[in-house]
Amino acid sequence: MANKALATRQKMSFRVEPSQKLAKPRNPFAVAAKQRAAGPHRKTASALRQSARLEVKKKLDEPEQE
């Protein structure tokens, strides 16, 4: 039978990581640079194909004027 005495059992304790204790100041220049660099810079190939397809469709549906 297992010994269930409190003295021999491992006691539960909560540990706080050092990063959670003190919030170190962030570099505002790094945040601004990261936000500026993020995001798409041009349309994807599928978006270009779709817009070309819509343009052709519009040209075909337009009545000719003479």
Side-chain angles (χ1 to χ4, degrees):
M1 192 175 237
N3 186 1
K4 294 187 178 182
L6 192 59
T8 59
R9 227 184 217 185
Q10 186 178 7
K11 294 188 171 105
M12 187 185 297
S13 63
F14 295 101
R15 209 171 88 184
V16 178
E17 295 294 325
S19 62
Q20 293 175 345
K21 288 181 185 177
L22 300 173
K24 63 181 183 177
R26 299 289 179 181
N27 183 355
F29 298 108
V31 174
K34 189 171 184 180
Q35 287 176 345
R36 201 170 41 246
H41 294 281
R42 65 178 130 170
K43 290 188 174 184
T44 61
S46 61
L48 293 172
R49 279 195 309 271
Q50 185 179 9
S51 63
R53 195 179 319 123
L54 286 174
E55 285 179 32
V56 169
K57 201 173 196 180
K58 284 181 186 178
K59 291 283 184 185
L60 292 174
D61 288 341
E62 251 179 34
E64 289 185 28
Q65 296 179 5
E66 288 187 39

